[in-house]
């Protein structure tokens, strides 16, 4: 049984004489259960709506994690769950988020940079091969500028190929000799290769000095001059590599030896002709006659050859003599 205050609508006990909220006299108010139930229902609905409004405002101000945890503690009616699902839409799957994470990781991971040394080597090799092809097609005409080290590269390939060819040819011959004699032969061979390399560079240097100094053609540096010089005789690169391949494949016999000497002679002839061609195609600015310049080149080449042979050949001959002595001692001569 309840007494409802006619002033404020507060619930009071059946024996209350005054309202506990506003103090209004309850002397004429009759306590009845039906009235109390009917009057309590709107009040409870108002309180529920007030509580829902407060909860919504708190959910909008607090983090989503706290809201979800508090929502788990409160009971949810089927009507509220359906309305929330309709308002929020279908739950997103984890796949789009995984794809987004993978895309973000790929974007954050920097791409692998290629090795600069390897790339530069590939570029140099490709340009050098084009240089070789152009020199074979038109050995007398240099149509474009090339890398300044291409000439030295051609000379190095020629010298190394010939050196390996001779080493393989003599290796089988000295394999049965004692160790001291074999090492002596190897040292003599290395001296001979070094001597040939110095002689080739000296020949190019002599032509450069005459063209640059006497004729006054100063358009090119020494390295550029060497590149154009080798351009005219690049067939010797293919000849030397071909002989090396024949030796490695075991195709050396009497007929092939004749072919090898023929190819080596052609390569040497092209090397000499290239210097003469460079001399007579130079742009003379000193009005010095090119015939006299060619004669001076011949004299200088003879002098250089004698100097190199005097110091280099004497060391080689000394090594050969020491090898012969060691060979004689091995047989107790």
């Amino acid at each position: 049984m309840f007494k409802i205050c006619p002033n404020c609508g507060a619930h009071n006990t059946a024996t209350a004489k005054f309202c506990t909220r506003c103090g209004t006299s309850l002397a004429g108010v009759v306590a009845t259960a039906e009235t109390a139930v009917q009057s309590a229902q709107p009040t409870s609905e108002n309180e529920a709506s007030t509580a829902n409004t407060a909860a919504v405002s708190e959910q909008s101000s607090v983090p989503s994690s706290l809201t979800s945890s508090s929502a788990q503690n409160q009971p949810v009616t089927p009507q509220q769950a359906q309305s929330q699902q309709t308002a929020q839409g279908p739950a997103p799957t984890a796949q789009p988020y995984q794809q987004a994470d993978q895309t973000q990781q790929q974007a954050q991971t920097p791409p692998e940079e290629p090795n600069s040394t390897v790339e530069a080597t590939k570029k140099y090799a490709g340009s050098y091969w084009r240089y070789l092809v152009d020199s074979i097609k038109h050995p007398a005409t240099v149509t474009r500028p090339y890398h300044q080290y291409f000439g030295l590269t051609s000379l190095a390939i020629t010298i190394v190929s010939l050196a390996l060819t001779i080493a393989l040819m003599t290796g089988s011959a000295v394999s049965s000799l004692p160790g001291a004699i074999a090492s002596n032969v190897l040292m003599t061979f290395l001296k001979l290769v070094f001597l040939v390399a110095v002689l080739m560079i000296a020949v190019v240097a002599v032509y450069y000095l005459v063209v640059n100094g006497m004729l006054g053609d100063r358009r090119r540096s020494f390295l550029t001059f060497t590149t154009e010089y080798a351009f005219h005789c690049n067939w010797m690169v293919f000849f030397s590599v071909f002989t090396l391949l024949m030796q490695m494949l075991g195709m050396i016999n009497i007929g092939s030896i004749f072919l090898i000497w023929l190819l080596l002679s052609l390569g040497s002839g092209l090397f000499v002709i290239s210097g003469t061609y460079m001399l007579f195609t130079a742009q003379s600015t000193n009005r010095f006659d090119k015939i006299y310049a060619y004669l001076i080149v011949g004299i200088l080449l003879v002098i250089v050859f004698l100097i190199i042979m005097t110091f280099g050949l004497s060391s080689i001959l000394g090594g050969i003599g020491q090898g012969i002595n060691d060979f004689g001692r091995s047989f107790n001569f």
Side-chain angles (χ1 to χ4, degrees):
M1 301 293 287
F2 295 96
K3 284 185 179 181
I4 299 175
C5 179
N7 184 30
C8 65
H11 295 77
N12 298 277
T13 60
T15 59
K17 294 182 179 181
F18 296 94
C19 180
T20 58
R21 179 181 295 178
C22 62
T24 303
S25 177
L26 302 177
V29 179
V30 179
T32 174
E34 182 178 2
T35 305
V37 172
Q38 291 177 355
S39 61
Q41 184 175 0
T43 304
S44 62
E45 290 178 357
N46 293 332
E47 291 177 357
S49 62
T50 304
N52 291 334
T53 305
V56 170
S57 61
E58 290 177 358
Q59 287 180 359
S60 61
S61 61
V62 299
S64 60
S65 60
L66 296 177
T67 304
S68 60
S69 61
S70 63
Q72 290 177 359
N73 296 327
Q74 295 179 359
V76 180
T77 62
Q79 291 79 4
Q80 292 178 352
Q82 183 176 2
S83 62
Q84 291 178 0
Q85 183 177 2
T86 305
Q88 294 178 359
T93 59
Q95 184 175 2
Y97 294 100
Q98 293 177 357
Q99 293 179 354
D101 293 340
Q102 293 178 358
T103 305
Q104 186 177 4
Q105 291 178 0
Q106 292 177 359
Q108 293 178 356
T109 303
E112 295 183 0
E113 296 183 358
N115 193 325
S116 58
T117 303
V118 175
E119 295 297 326
T121 304
K122 290 181 180 179
K123 185 177 180 180
Y124 184 87
S127 300
Y128 178 73
W129 176 253
R130 184 177 181 181
Y131 165 77
L132 285 178
V133 173
D134 291 343
S135 65
I136 297 303
K137 290 181 178 179
H138 303 285
T141 306
V142 181
T143 57
R144 61 174 62 91
Y146 297 98
H147 197 282
Q148 61 180 354
Y149 292 113
F150 283 175
L152 294 179
T153 303
S154 294
L155 296 180
I157 292 175
T158 302
I159 295 171
V160 171
S161 299
L162 293 177
L164 291 176
T165 302
I166 298 174
L168 292 175
M169 293 176 64
T170 57
S172 58
V174 301
S175 59
S176 58
L177 298 176
I181 299 176
S183 62
N184 196 350
V185 172
L186 179 61
M187 290 299 299
T188 303
F189 165 73
L190 293 177
K191 292 178 182 179
L192 181 61
V193 171
F194 179 75
L195 185 64
V196 173
V198 172
L199 184 61
M200 293 181 70
I201 298 298
V203 170
V204 177
V206 168
Y207 277 104
Y208 174 75
L209 291 175
V210 173
V211 171
N212 186 275
M214 293 184 178
L215 298 182
D217 188 356
R218 297 179 176 86
R219 297 173 299 168
R220 295 156 294 195
S221 62
F222 176 72
L223 293 177
T224 305
F225 183 86
T226 305
T227 297
E228 294 189 10
Y229 192 109
F231 184 90
H232 303 308
C233 58
N234 266 337
W235 269 109
M236 64 181 183
V237 176
F238 291 95
F239 293 160
S240 60
V241 172
F242 178 73
T243 57
L244 177 60
L245 291 176
M246 290 183 63
Q247 180 62 42
M248 293 176 63
L249 296 176
M251 300 173 60
I252 303 298
N253 50 38
I254 297 178
S256 60
I257 290 176
F258 175 77
L259 177 61
I260 289 175
W261 281 109
L262 178 61
L263 294 178
L264 294 179
S265 299
L266 291 175
S268 302
L270 284 174
F271 185 76
V272 175
I273 292 173
S274 297
T276 306
Y277 182 80
M278 293 286 292
L279 177 65
F280 282 98
T281 56
Q283 295 181 2
S284 179
T285 59
N286 296 337
R287 295 182 180 180
F288 192 84
D289 194 278
K290 294 181 180 179
I291 296 296
Y292 294 134
Y294 182 70
L295 293 176
I296 293 174
V297 166
I299 295 173
L300 292 176
L301 288 179
V302 170
I303 295 174
V304 169
F305 184 80
L306 291 177
I307 293 174
I308 292 176
M309 289 301 172
T310 300
F311 293 96
L313 193 60
S314 60
S315 177
I316 292 175
L317 292 177
I320 294 175
Q322 183 66 33
I324 293 175
N325 292 332
D326 294 339
F327 185 74
R329 291 173 184 173
S330 62
F331 289 96
N332 296 323
F333 285 167

